[in-house]
Amino acid sequence: MQRSRGRRTAPAVAAVLVVAALAVGCRPVTITGAGSPDGKGVRYAPTTPAPPPLGRHTRPAPARHTTKPQPWTAHHRPAPRPLMAPGSRGAKVRELQARLAQLGLFGRAPTGYYGSVTATAVRAFQRRQGLPRTGTVQPAAWRALRSQTRRPSHAQLDPPTTRPVSAPDPRCMRGRVICISKRSNTLAWVVDGRVVSAMDVRFGSQYTPTREGTFHITFKSRHHLSTLYHTAMPYAMFFSGGQAVHYSADFAAHGYRGASHGCVNVRNKKKLAPLFNTVKPGTKVVIHH
């Protein structure tokens, strides 16, 4: 039988196309006859299969809704600014300390300065109340503290000394005397046996002790500067050589952790100033144990 030369049959052409497609790694596509709406060519069917037609009981898949995260929500609101915090100063801090003292949480006289001791007392109160122990006074803590305490009196807000004034020495009971007790760390201005004012004091170290005995004011210097130690000695009242009663900024800042070089340090300038103006040279000074 003679083979026909020339045109190949349709099945043979289709087979050649399939083999050629497989040889180059292409994915086969289907050509549709209705793929050329404009009559200019053919259109290849999409590689992604079309979704099945919706039936009577078929529901379309719900559309996905994406919600952009909000920068601040109810759970991420910034904490309210504290009413008082370490570093705060003033009458409100003094009231805070006096109210904490009423509850036995602040064992010192109010100073009006919010330091580490005040922060520790605030945390102790917050622990009692089941509040976050931040050490700062938030509105909730302040309301709770005020509801559990009474309005502080003037003596509670501004007590004369942090420690009770000891009984005056017998040498202090006549005349006008600056009566200083090493036992109670207090200075009392005594007039005819009556304590007019009192204030906290500290003394020299064991290497530079403050002398004890009866002395008299020799001279006063409001803005004195120590020529030996080059430190300020405001409201200095000298009673024995280079030893004097004077205000000490170091005592005001650090309390009894330090010591003087023999002088009697006072940390309350407001209380010392009127005494300085009242005392005259020759006034008696008694320093006792």
Side-chain angles (χ1 to χ4, degrees):
M1 183 174 180
Q2 187 180 1
R3 294 183 180 178
S4 59
R5 296 181 180 179
R7 294 187 303 175
R8 296 182 181 178
T9 61
V13 174
V16 172
L17 293 174
V18 172
V19 171
L22 292 176
V24 298
C26 296
R27 188 167 68 175
V29 295
T30 302
I31 301 174
T32 62
S36 53
D38 54 3
K40 294 182 180 179
V42 296
R43 177 185 296 171
Y44 293 96
T47 57
T48 302
L54 297 178
R56 179 182 301 177
H57 302 291
T58 305
R59 296 181 180 179
R64 294 182 179 179
H65 298 281
T66 58
T67 303
K68 295 182 179 180
Q70 299 298 322
W72 295 107
T73 64
H75 301 287
H76 298 86
R77 290 177 181 172
R81 185 177 180 180
L83 302 177
M84 287 168 277
S88 299
R89 299 173 181 268
K92 187 63 69 175
V93 175
R94 189 178 292 274
E95 180 184 352
L96 167 70
Q97 294 167 335
R99 289 182 182 273
L100 290 170
Q102 291 179 19
L103 300 178
L105 299 176
F106 190 78
R108 301 185 180 184
T111 62
Y113 175 73
Y114 200 123
S116 59
V117 175
T118 305
T120 300
V122 169
R123 277 192 290 268
F125 177 74
Q126 290 169 332
R127 183 171 58 250
R128 285 187 183 182
Q129 302 300 308
L131 297 171
R133 288 174 282 177
T134 61
T136 60
V137 180
Q138 302 289 344
W142 183 239
R143 288 193 298 268
L145 180 62
R146 293 187 65 184
S147 67
Q148 297 180 33
T149 56
R150 62 186 182 277
R151 185 182 183 89
S153 64
H154 176 73
Q156 291 175 328
L157 290 172
D158 194 19
T161 61
T162 59
R163 305 177 183 184
V165 179
S166 63
D169 186 271
R171 292 170 291 178
C172 303
M173 300 307 292
R174 298 182 61 181
R176 300 158 69 87
V177 185
I178 298 176
C179 196
I180 301 171
S181 170
K182 284 189 173 182
R183 183 180 299 276
S184 63
N185 287 91
T186 57
L187 178 155
W189 173 235
V190 183
V191 178
D192 296 330
R194 181 175 64 89
V195 176
V196 177
S197 64
M199 56 203 76
D200 295 325
V201 295
R202 73 176 184 183
F203 307 97
S205 66
Q206 60 177 331
Y207 304 104
T208 55
T210 302
R211 304 183 187 98
E212 298 180 20
T214 301
F215 311 91
H216 293 84
I217 298 297
T218 55
F219 73 98
K220 304 191 305 178
S221 178
R222 184 184 296 271
H223 305 290
H224 194 78
L225 182 67
S226 171
T227 57
L228 182 60
Y229 300 106
H230 305 287
T231 56
M233 299 169 56
Y235 300 103
M237 296 176 282
F238 290 86
F239 58 85
S240 177
Q243 294 192 349
V245 176
H246 68 85
Y247 169 74
S248 169
D250 181 78
F251 184 26
H254 303 105
Y256 292 99
R257 286 181 292 177
S260 73
H261 290 96
C263 290
V264 179
N265 290 163
V266 179
R267 63 177 170 186
N268 193 325
K269 185 186 293 187
K270 183 179 178 181
K271 290 183 179 296
L272 182 60
L275 178 63
F276 179 88
N277 295 331
T278 301
V279 168
K280 294 177 172 52
T283 300
K284 186 164 66 173
V285 179
V286 175
I287 303 177
H288 63 94
H289 220 291

